[in-house]
Amino acid sequence: MSVITTEAIRARAQARTRTVARARSLVGRAILHLVLIVASVAMMLPMLWMTSTSLKVSGQEWVFPPKWIPNPVAWRNYVEFMEVLAVPFYRYVINTLTITVFATLGTLLTSSLAAFAFARLRFWGRERVFFLVISTMMLPGVVTLVPTFLIFRYLGWLNTFLPLTVPYWLGGTAFSVFLLRQFFLSLPYELDEAARMDGASNFWIYYRIAIPLSGPALASVLIFQVLDHWNAFMGPLIYLNSMHKYTLALALRTFQNTRSQRVNYLMAASMIQVLPVIILFFIAQRYFIRGISVTGLAGR
């Protein structure tokens, strides 16, 4: 009888321990979710304020406490903002789109070629050259600003899109090369060996095997590059002089300098600028997250 009682007491104690552990786990998860929700709302506040202000009529932008839901909703701000610009708005969009498309294509092509060479080919000094390439990521952009400006001025490329696109066809960026190399390293070498036994060249392996398997990594590079070039400000500011060649970021800054009192118009213009990249991210986020996770785990 005493043995049964002892076992019952022990089972009851274990059940109580499991209940306490489960309760602690639930409380921990609840606190974690609460912290994440608060942090998410805090990070979304600027975006929500920008959206709300872009739809307010003049005079309601700085009302305190702020009205998050505009009344009335001024959709016309998006049209009237374009009408007060010195240059047609579509010109800024075309300029930004041209630079973004050509620079991104150049980065995807040349960075993937360089990354494939560093990951799949064996040649003397490969690791040293790769280390030299990624070490350029440590250089602040302002360090190379004056030399590159002098080179482009010597070439007669100022006030053209060439300084903003051509360099990306000469190797892309060091970060893109690094990201794609890490992904290429994760591919089985048996694929290369089997292709070479069938007489395939290195370029054939790159084009028919490595690239089709690298969708997530290429999507990650694409998103980074589109974000970088679509929102670029310093490069266009330095190399572009004519307003007809300004990008959206420059047009936005010019509008802010001349009509800073029209905050609702400024927020409408900002929404037009950020909306395409947000849509792109949501479309490609699955590939983006997968590409980042794979390249982060596949170091050799």
Side-chain angles (χ1 to χ4, degrees), residues 254-271:
T254 305
F255 181 83
Q256 185 181 9
N257 290 338
T258 56
R259 295 174 181 269
S260 58
Q261 72 278 12
R262 302 306 299 266
V263 180
N264 50 351
Y265 284 7
L266 191 61
M267 293 302 106
S270 302
M271 280 297 297

Side-chain angles (χ1 to χ4, degrees), residues 33 55 64 90 134 154-155 187 190 198 201 219-220 267 280:
H33 288 172
L55 297 173
F64 187 82
Y90 72 86
I134 62 172
Y154 176 79
L155 294 173
L187 301 178
E190 289 78 9
D198 292 337
S201 63
S220 302
M267 293 302 106
L280 173 67

Side-chain angles (χ1 to χ4, degrees), residues 149-194:
F149 178 82
L150 294 176
I151 292 172
F152 292 140
R153 189 181 66 173
Y154 176 79
L155 294 173
W157 288 4
L158 296 185
N159 202 28
T160 69
F161 294 156
L162 296 177
L164 304 171
T165 55
V166 171
Y168 297 97
W169 289 84
L170 304 175
T173 63
F175 177 73
S176 303
V177 173
F178 171 76
L179 194 70
L180 291 171
R181 174 186 177 270
Q182 295 304 102
F183 191 87
F184 288 148
L185 284 174
S186 68
L187 301 178
Y189 281 97
E190 289 78 9
L191 296 174
D192 298 16
E193 295 170 358

Side-chain angles (χ1 to χ4, degrees), residues 252-292:
L252 205 63
R253 182 61 182 175
T254 305
F255 181 83
Q256 185 181 9
N257 290 338
T258 56
R259 295 174 181 269
S260 58
Q261 72 278 12
R262 302 306 299 266
V263 180
N264 50 351
Y265 284 7
L266 191 61
M267 293 302 106
S270 302
M271 280 297 297
I272 293 174
Q273 184 178 2
V274 302
L275 206 55
V277 291
I278 292 175
I279 294 173
L280 173 67
F281 176 78
F282 278 110
I283 292 175
Q285 66 169 333
R286 184 180 55 161
Y287 299 101
F288 176 73
I289 294 172
R290 186 181 167 198
I292 291 295

